[in-house]
Amino acid sequence: MPLLQYYLQLAGYSTQMSFRLQISQPVLSIVGNLMAAAIIEKVGRRDLTFWGLLVLTIFLMITGGLGTGSTQPMTQGTVAFILIFSWWFNVSISSSVFSLISEISTPRLRVKTIAIASASQSLVNFMWQWTIPYMFNPDRADMGAKIAFVFGGLCSVSLLYLWFYQPETGGRSYQDLDEMFTKKVPARKFKKFVTEVQMQNQAAAAVEEKV
């Protein structure tokens, strides 16, 4: 049984309502993916990833806080934030990650980079699929929705990494990225940094306009 439906039934929802809420989760995820496709070029990879994760961290902390209570409104609140989380997750980091792993890697190592990233993701997912039931179940750690605090803490650490090490790759050629990495431009300055390739292109365009 999917974990969400299991949680919904533990929270007191009927089987029919649990099924409906479970179906709404992938629907919201699809809507989120479509929204991401429309905004990622305008917002940028770095901003969508960093600020998206920041919002997700807030959602997780709120969910964990609601999970400390046992009243029906608080339980319903955790369900609402789980669904909102699913939507925003697919608007932000779930969509931007695929652009980042393909654009940051060099052309020569792109296939290996994507393969390693995908394998690492599967390994981490396997670990959590094994661990979460023990953390969640009433006959084990009985954390319930408070498990969101664990992921909120991990997201907080990830935010520090993203701020200092996640560059903006949108609208950049591989020559631009190689130059900025070679010059060790701080990741948060990638967006506004003007590369030599860009200056050469601008100079060539200016000459053509005069001609």
Side-chain angles (χ1 to χ4, degrees):
M1 182 184 296
L3 188 59
L4 176 60
Q5 187 175 359
Y6 178 48
Y7 173 70
L8 291 171
Q9 293 191 14
L10 286 178
Y13 286 90
S14 65
T15 302
Q16 185 177 16
M17 181 57 69
S18 298
F19 177 75
R20 290 177 179 175
L21 290 171
Q22 181 191 348
I23 292 299
S24 68
Q25 186 181 30
V27 172
L28 289 170
S29 297
I30 293 172
V31 172
N33 286 136
L34 294 175
M35 292 177 63
I39 67 174
I40 190 169
E41 294 298 336
K42 298 178 181 178
V43 177
R45 281 81 161 137
R46 174 183 164 87
D47 285 344
L48 188 60
T49 304
F50 178 82
W51 297 110
L53 185 60
L54 178 61
V55 173
L56 289 174
T57 304
I58 295 172
F59 287 165
L60 286 168
M61 292 304 183
I62 294 174
T63 303
L66 291 171
T68 60
S70 57
T71 63
Q72 185 176 10
M74 295 184 77
T75 301
Q76 292 175 341
T78 63
V79 173
F81 271 99
I82 289 172
L83 295 176
I84 295 171
F85 181 96
S86 298
W87 163 71
W88 185 250
F89 175 77
N90 285 279
V91 172
S92 55
I93 62 175
S94 178
S95 299
S96 63
V97 65
F98 294 102
S99 298
L100 290 170
I101 61 175
S102 61
E103 293 172 350
I104 290 178
S105 55
T106 62
R108 185 170 62 88
L109 298 175
R110 187 182 305 131
V111 174
K112 291 183 179 179
T113 302
I114 294 174
I116 292 172
S118 299
S120 300
Q121 181 188 33
S122 298
L123 182 62
V124 172
N125 285 341
F126 173 77
M127 180 197 72
W128 285 119
Q129 290 293 330
W130 181 269
T131 306
I132 286 177
Y134 289 94
M135 301 169 66
F136 181 82
N137 283 345
D139 60 341
R140 298 292 181 175
D142 194 22
M143 294 181 68
K146 294 190 292 294
I147 197 174
F149 284 135
V150 176
F151 292 101
L154 293 173
C155 286
S156 299
V157 176
S158 299
L159 284 170
L160 292 175
Y161 169 82
L162 290 175
W163 179 258
F164 289 106
Y165 297 108
Q166 181 59 64
E168 174 57 64
T169 59
R172 294 290 191 173
S173 67
Y174 289 113
Q175 292 91 338
D176 290 333
L177 294 173
D178 285 343
E179 179 182 333
M180 288 188 285
F181 280 124
T182 301
K183 292 182 176 179
K184 298 182 179 180
V185 177
R188 59 186 181 278
K189 295 183 179 180
F190 265 48
K191 187 174 184 178
K192 296 182 179 180
F193 187 84
V194 180
T195 64
E196 293 179 7
V197 175
Q198 286 179 304
M199 289 189 288
Q200 291 172 1
N201 291 337
Q202 291 171 1
V207 171
E208 290 181 1
E209 288 180 359
K210 291 180 180 180
V211 174

